[in-house]
Amino acid sequence: MRTRILTLTVTLVMALALVPPASAQLPSIPVLTTDNVEVVGAVPAASVVAVTFDPLKPVMYATTLSGFATFDISDPELPLPLGFLPFPHFSNENVKLGVREDGTRFIMAGFDLVGYSPNAGITNTRGTSRFVVIDVTDPAAPEVASSVNATTRTHTMSCANAACTHAFTSGSGGKFDIYDLADITKPVLVTTYENALLGGNNTFRGGVGHDWDIDESGVAWWVGSGGIVAFDVTDPTDPQVLNSSDHRSRVAQFNKYISHNSQRPDADAFTSRAPGDVIAGDLSNKGLEDRDAADVRGGEILFVTEEDLSSTAGCGGTRGSIQAWHVQELDADRYATTINPDGLRDAGSIQPIGQWTTEMGEDPAASLPTATFCSAHYFDVHETGIIAQAWYQQGLRILDARDPSDIRQIGYYVTGGQEIFGAKWVPEYDADGVQTGRDSNLLYTEDPGRGIEVLRIDLPEDGETAPTVRAPILPEWRAAGLALRARALDPASFGGLCLIG
């Protein structure tokens, strides 16, 4: 596939605006993109960190380093600002939305470094884990509903179920907090859950959690320093372990720094295998299990990003990866009695069968010494099996994961002016403004420096094999990336990047 080299002007805007001021322009830098990726729009809103979509109306909610924003996405190629609540904070990388039957809508934002809201009288400094609940029932007028000091780390905050009646902190010290959100103005700490499976690795020895994902079947996936743990949260106040990752949970190839985030597509198609049907792994193997695509059934793949910010020497080396883990059993009784009766870390039966990293990861000598933030970060899985994977300053990577044992790059969008935290496939909405359950071929990037960019992806047809592509590495990225990062870290703008996880 042919690589296109474009030249764009990178703009850093510290306010919600569709037209950037000339004074904020940085030098022109090269942009590399494949023919199947097209830029169709942009919203250079200040320091966008994460976005989520309303299931019942075409509205997008965003956390930024300067506050909380809402957008009308009736025309998904042109998101229009609806409301904004000034609230400089860090970080909440993966914002979650709660929707109640009475129409109440709210998002949660955790900040484990800094947060400031003069209108709500909230100030937070490093060392205090805290989260806020933002009422977005009227998307044009978001407001603080409550603020809580948690007992464990709140780098991210997640709903425990679809109705978001309860919430989990990302966790620390091998623990996470469970909150009752029946009254969003008064969150109540129910308990602090502790389990050996949530322990440390060689980087985070005390044990830290990073993120939760509740799949469409209701299984809650926790990832962090301890690897991967699946929970039955039918009773969100009493999570039951269903399975966990095996002995490769915490080896450097898969979890040198932290298991960062996860998604399990087609979860509703999953049926736990009978013991005789389980494909046993090689306990001596520290690499990937050998699996043919035919060995994998519906809902059996959990995709996981491993973020790696463990070195400041540049972007050489692995720098994280996107991984496919084979989930064959989700059974609390069998886990407790047969799979891992002693409740040990690294003793589950979830096994890695696929992994992909970028050109720099493949070649340790291909280092960009000025670009520290060049690791894998958040991703999103399209219903077709195509993954949009953010890679900080290594840009956006489009990956074909339909064969999870052979993940391939089929497109990219890369420039030295990026700091992409994540990307989301824009959902389709019907004529009534309700999500159809399908994904469109539009992507929104989440970038603290560039804001939101709207990309159209030419997706392969069912059964079509898109060619594998490899992105070049340009020396121009070095200076451009460093200049952007220096601006984003300006304390006056309450800036900051993913400093820890």
Side-chain angles (χ1 to χ4, degrees):
M1 181 175 291
R2 185 169 57 92
T3 297
R4 291 180 290 145
I5 300 181
L6 310 175
T7 300
L8 297 181
T9 299
V10 179
T11 306
L12 186 67
V13 184
M14 299 310 296
L16 285 171
L18 293 177
V19 180
S23 61
Q25 292 182 348
L26 296 178
S28 294
I29 56 176
V31 176
L32 285 81
T33 180
T34 46
D35 289 339
N36 56 353
V37 179
E38 178 186 5
V39 181
V40 296
V43 183
S47 57
V48 174
V49 173
V51 304
T52 191
F53 304 99
D54 197 303
L56 301 177
K57 54 185 176 181
V59 173
M60 177 174 67
Y61 308 90
T63 59
T64 80
L65 297 181
S66 55
F68 305 98
T70 59
F71 295 86
D72 181 342
I73 57 169
S74 298
D75 179 353
E77 293 187 9
L78 184 64
L80 298 176
L82 279 175
F84 185 73
L85 175 67
F87 199 135
H89 75 295
F90 183 86
S91 78
N92 211 81
E93 302 176 332
N94 194 12
V95 60
K96 303 295 177 62
L97 172 71
V99 179
R100 298 283 168 78
E101 289 185 358
D102 65 0
T104 299
R105 285 164 165 75
F106 59 94
I107 58 175
M108 291 180 294
F111 39 96
D112 55 356
L113 293 183
V114 64
Y116 177 64
S117 177
N119 60 330
I122 298 171
T123 301
N124 190 75
T125 57
R126 180 186 287 269
T128 302
S129 292
R130 193 166 189 165
F131 73 92
V132 293
V133 180
I134 308 297
D135 189 332
V136 291
T137 305
D138 178 358
E143 59 181 357
V144 176
S146 57
S147 174
V148 179
N149 281 335
T151 70
T152 60
R153 187 169 177 247
T154 57
H155 186 64
T156 61
M157 288 294 301
S158 299
C159 297
N161 49 30
C164 207
T165 60
H166 294 77
F168 298 153
T169 63
S170 54
S172 52
K175 307 173 184 178
F176 63 87
D177 292 341
I178 303 174
Y179 281 89
D180 186 326
L181 295 180
D183 181 351
I184 64 172
T185 68
K186 297 178 181 179
V188 176
L189 176 63
V190 176
T191 188
T192 298
Y193 180 98
E194 183 173 6
N195 191 299
L197 300 173
L198 310 179
N201 59 8
N202 288 333
T203 301
F204 297 99
R205 296 183 183 275
V208 296
H210 192 274
D211 208 350
W212 291 86
D213 183 70
I214 313 299
D215 67 32
E216 60 186 0
S217 72
V219 174
W221 296 90
W222 177 95
V223 292
S225 61
I228 304 163
V229 187
F231 291 95
D232 179 345
V233 289
T234 303
D235 178 356
T237 68
D238 186 24
Q240 301 295 310
V241 178
L242 295 170
N243 208 338
S244 60
S245 44
D246 72 1
H247 57 286
R248 283 156 288 196
S249 297
R250 295 180 300 122
V251 300
Q253 178 182 350
F254 301 106
N255 192 0
K256 179 183 177 184
Y257 187 73
I258 200 165
S259 293
H260 188 272
N261 58 289
S262 66
Q263 282 188 35
R264 182 168 72 121
D266 303 319
D268 279 348
F270 178 85
T271 300
S272 201
R273 295 194 188 209
D277 292 335
V278 173
I279 304 172
D282 179 358
L283 295 180
S284 66
N285 181 17
K286 291 187 177 180
L288 298 172
E289 288 295 335
D290 185 13
R291 294 281 192 278
D292 186 273
D295 294 331
V296 178
R297 302 177 183 177
E300 287 193 345
I301 293 300
L302 180 76
F303 292 104
V304 178
T305 284
E306 193 257 343
E307 182 185 40
D308 184 6
L309 300 179
S310 59
S311 172
T312 57
C315 292
T318 302
R319 309 308 294 176
S321 63
I322 175 73
Q323 305 162 6
W325 290 71
H326 197 186
V327 182
Q328 301 179 76
E329 301 175 87
L330 291 173
D331 187 301
D333 290 339
R334 179 166 157 74
Y335 183 80
T337 60
T338 305
I339 298 174
N340 188 11
D342 296 323
L344 302 176
R345 286 183 296 172
D346 313 336
S349 65
I350 300 175
Q351 306 157 349
I353 65 168
Q355 186 174 28
W356 187 88
T357 190
T358 65
E359 299 76 20
M360 291 181 198
E362 295 171 357
D363 180 6
S367 177
L368 299 183
T370 63
T372 299
F373 292 95
C374 49
S375 170
H377 210 234
Y378 278 98
F379 67 90
D380 197 15
V381 184
H382 194 276
E383 63 191 44
T384 60
I386 306 302
I387 292 177
Q389 171 73 66
W391 224 286
Y392 283 137
Q393 289 174 346
Q394 292 190 65
L396 176 72
R397 307 307 180 107
I398 306 300
L399 307 174
D400 188 336
R402 290 176 292 184
D403 178 354
S405 67
D406 182 25
I407 302 171
R408 300 180 305 105
Q409 180 173 247
I410 61 171
Y412 51 80
Y413 174 64
V414 186
T415 169
Q418 289 168 307
E419 196 70 61
I420 298 183
F421 269 41
K424 293 286 196 312
W425 293 104
V426 182
E428 286 187 356
Y429 288 88
D430 63 20
D432 296 321
V434 176
Q435 285 188 21
T436 65
R438 296 186 299 272
D439 299 319
S440 72
N441 68 337
L442 293 179
L443 267 176
Y444 290 164
T445 62
E446 303 159 324
D447 191 321
R450 298 172 68 93
I452 296 168
E453 290 184 273
V454 184
L455 308 176
R456 181 183 292 115
I457 312 300
D458 183 10
L459 296 167
E461 298 289 339
D462 187 28
E464 177 187 1
T465 300
T468 301
V469 297
R470 182 179 176 87
I473 301 171
L474 297 185
E476 292 92 334
W477 294 347
R478 300 182 185 187
L482 183 63
L484 180 65
R485 194 165 66 257
R487 288 176 179 243
L489 290 169
D490 180 3
S493 67
F494 290 87
L497 298 177
C498 188
L499 306 181
I500 305 177

